[in-house]
Amino acid sequence: MKYLSTRGHPGDAGLRGFSDILLEGLAPDGGLYLPERYPQVDAAMLARWRGLPYADLAFEVLSLFIDDIPPADLGRLVRATYTEAVFGTAEIAPLKRLDDGLYLEALSNGPTLAFKDMAMQLLGALFEYELGRRGEQLNILGATSGDTGSAAEYAMRGKRGIRVFMLSPNGRMSPFQQAQMFSLQDPNIHNLAIEGVFDDCQDIVKAVGNDLPFKRRWRIGTVNSINWARLLAQVVYYFAGYFQATPSGDRPVSFAVPSGNFGNICAGHVARMMGLPIHRLVCATNENDVLDEFFRTGAYRPRGTAETHETSSPSMDISKASNFERFVFDLLQRDGARVKALFGAALARDGGFTLAPEEFARIAGFGFSSGRSTHADRLATIRRTWQQHGVLVDPHTADGLKVALEQREPGVPMVVLETALPAKFAATIREAAGVEPEVPPALRGIEGLPRRFTVLPADAARVRQYIEAHAGPTS
Ligand SMILES: *Cc1c(COP(=O)(O)O)cnc(C)c1O
């Protein structure tokens, strides 16, 4: 299987293998990588996969996209990743029934209590393997306001050849998130608390990333959500959710996905393109509704920082959806030149674009629909789900559930992806339902553990100096 850029075209020379794009971010032309075609599953394959344990299912799905890692090695990595010890249950991603035909898919029982662990844990194993094979090292630089940074650190801790430099706004993450990240004592994890806000952190990461000589010299890499391997790992739980929601495999299933950067739901799109019987992919946004607006109108209008709301589902507070270009590439029948015109020139010139009517008309054929949820909706959904079902959902999952309930269709099971546990967002849960969410045993008392972090001013030069002093051998 070869990979191409969303801004290139299928005839391009120099298509890349999986291992080549694993450690990369954007393609050199500024596009995102996608497989040159989607491998197809048929009814016989689905029947064979239905009874598999999660790790074996992951191996089957990944094998269709990865042909440059020996199967025995890939199998070992996958089976070491998706274990009950790491993800809390033998099923890894079990369905919780709320109602007839309405389910939550539990994706948030990994080490950081958010669904990002599902992909990031595998990414840690793949990175360590590939760097070891090449005899290379990598210094991962990132900025986080909470979930991504902790998922990355828990995936990369103790991994050979990898160091993590994670910038966060000093004193601005929730107490639980700070405790989660700063209590890590692994020498390869560096928490840099920046005296500023999240945007300052992101600006520093960009400034360092744009310094190509520095980036090359110190082998700076990222783990952001455009990484193809992360997206691929997420495809697996759509299969797992489908099998559980349709015990006899007699009907398609819809998924509702709390969305921000469009990574999670894009994995659902890939699963559907492979032939998994998905009826609808319901894209749920919060007040930052750039995606809902697109699916309703065909206009893509990324927001500026000033127009980006701080909400009570903070991991969906995005201004532009970084994975969205992948779906548009397929929607536009893989016309890389058109994608380049829209995401390159038009975004730079006009700050957005609007699809032609015949392009917009194709969206229905891809199964997408969308909806929006506000703070009041979130609170009402959390309260109602607690009162009616005795189940607490986190504010992000509540956004998904709110839109799912509006868009359920008779006879079609609806699976809402649970993207975080309520324990991470206790204040909102108290406000909504007046109860204290349960903290899983492994994380009880982390607020009292010793902390390891360094406070730095919002100054790219000081971050560069820190990396130079702490990065490992670079050749
Ligand atoms: C990251 C995140 C999301 C958004 O996922 P995308 O892949 O960016 O669309 C939703 N909920 C939670 C809890 C998250 O951490």
Side-chain angles (χ1 to χ4, degrees):
M1 176 65 75
K2 294 289 185 223
Y3 290 85
L4 48 76
S5 163
T6 50
R7 297 188 192 180
H9 58 86
D12 274 353
L15 297 179
R16 324 282 311 275
F18 175 82
S19 303
D20 296 320
I21 65 166
L22 172 64
L23 301 167
E24 278 180 38
L26 292 175
D29 59 13
L32 281 71
Y33 287 111
L34 272 180
E36 56 181 343
R37 62 188 163 73
Y38 293 111
Q40 296 298 301
V41 297
D42 56 25
M45 269 166 108
L46 289 176
R48 203 152 39 75
W49 289 359
R50 172 171 285 280
L52 294 180
Y54 192 91
D56 293 352
L57 175 64
F59 173 74
E60 295 293 339
V61 173
L62 294 172
S63 294
L64 298 176
F65 292 89
I66 303 174
D67 54 15
D68 50 5
I69 294 177
D73 291 353
L74 184 62
R76 183 170 47 74
L77 295 173
V78 167
R79 289 185 186 100
T81 297
Y82 295 111
T83 64
E84 184 170 356
V86 176
F87 287 100
T89 64
E91 299 97 320
I92 308 298
L95 286 198
K96 284 189 254 186
R97 179 185 170 282
L98 290 182
D99 222 315
D100 276 344
L102 180 66
Y103 307 91
L104 296 177
E105 185 169 2
L107 303 176
S108 305
N109 295 301
T112 72
L113 313 188
F115 86 100
K116 292 190 171 68
D117 291 328
M118 296 292 296
M120 206 70 94
Q121 287 286 319
L122 183 69
L123 199 69
L126 287 169
F127 270 25
E128 182 178 52
Y129 173 83
E130 187 60 27
L131 289 166
R133 195 155 77 148
R134 295 174 180 217
E136 290 178 10
Q137 308 250 337
L138 190 67
N139 293 303
I140 293 170
L141 176 64
T144 188
S145 52
D147 285 346
T148 308
S150 55
E153 291 189 352
Y154 279 75
M156 302 297 167
R157 62 189 295 201
K159 292 278 190 289
R160 279 184 305 273
I162 302 175
R163 276 167 223 81
V164 178
F165 298 88
M166 191 57 66
L167 279 53
S168 59
N170 189 27
R172 287 177 190 257
M173 289 190 297
S174 78
F176 187 82
Q177 287 173 323
Q178 293 184 39
Q180 255 188 327
M181 286 179 54
F182 296 173
S183 62
L184 288 179
Q185 300 296 327
D186 308 74
N188 73 326
I189 302 296
H190 298 271
N191 285 304
L192 303 181
I194 300 295
E195 292 170 321
V197 296
F198 174 66
D199 283 321
D200 297 316
C201 300
Q202 210 159 27
D203 287 346
I204 294 172
V205 169
K206 272 190 209 139
V208 175
N210 288 336
D211 180 348
L212 289 182
F214 183 89
K215 194 174 162 197
R216 239 174 265 132
R217 160 126 212 262
W218 297 101
R219 296 197 173 271
I220 305 292
T222 60
V223 288
N224 50 27
S225 80
I226 58 162
N227 182 289
W228 167 252
R230 268 182 73 177
L231 205 133
L232 179 56
Q234 293 172 342
V235 172
V236 179
Y237 54 68
Y238 285 88
F239 282 83
Y242 165 79
F243 290 139
Q244 294 175 81
T246 58
S248 54
D250 61 343
R251 61 189 63 189
V253 171
S254 292
F255 288 89
V257 187
S259 292
N261 274 318
F262 205 73
N264 199 356
I265 200 166
C266 195
H269 164 69
V270 171
R272 193 173 184 277
M273 295 299 279
M274 292 170 70
L276 186 70
I278 295 178
H279 177 60
R280 287 236 177 282
L281 288 164
V282 181
C283 177
T285 74
N286 64 17
E287 291 88 334
N288 296 292
D289 56 359
V290 52
L291 289 167
D292 180 44
E293 178 176 295
F294 171 80
F295 284 111
R296 280 185 297 103
T297 67
Y300 180 58
R301 234 171 27 90
R303 313 288 154 81
T305 313
E307 258 191 297
T308 305
H309 308 279
E310 260 185 56
T311 76
S312 49
S313 46
S315 297
M316 294 157 64
D317 291 350
I318 51 102
S319 46
K320 67 178 191 24
S322 49
N323 270 288
F324 182 57
E325 185 171 329
R326 286 191 160 111
F327 166 65
V328 173
F329 183 62
D330 286 338
L331 179 70
L332 301 180
Q333 300 168 324
R334 301 205 143 201
D335 180 348
R338 173 89 175 123
V339 170
K340 188 172 182 171
L342 293 181
F343 283 87
L347 273 191
R349 190 185 57 233
D350 310 326
F353 60 77
T354 302
L355 294 180
E358 67 276 14
E359 292 170 337
F360 182 56
R362 282 189 216 123
I363 287 179
F366 287 84
F368 277 92
S369 66
S370 73
R372 175 179 191 275
S373 164
T374 64
H375 181 68
D377 295 325
R378 220 166 283 139
L379 295 184
T381 305
I382 294 169
R383 188 180 316 116
R384 200 169 350 94
T385 311
W386 174 242
Q387 287 170 351
Q388 287 183 358
H389 307 291
V391 173
L392 275 181
V393 293
D394 100 288
H396 307 78
T397 309
D399 287 331
L401 184 52
K402 185 263 181 184
V403 179
L405 287 168
E406 290 167 349
Q407 304 204 2
R408 272 173 95 179
E409 292 166 73
V412 184
M414 173 68 85
V415 177
V416 181
L417 300 188
E418 180 185 58
T419 56
L421 288 196
K424 283 194 107 159
F425 303 96
T428 305
I429 303 300
R430 278 193 294 268
E431 183 184 351
V435 293
E436 197 61 41
E438 194 196 346
V439 177
L443 291 162
R444 277 178 210 152
I446 54 165
E447 280 98 335
L449 295 178
R451 300 189 175 194
R452 195 168 155 270
F453 64 100
T454 304
V455 179
L456 288 179
D459 176 355
R462 293 290 297 277
V463 171
R464 274 198 205 92
Q465 278 168 15
Y466 184 96
I467 293 173
E468 286 171 354
H470 295 88
T474 51
S475 55

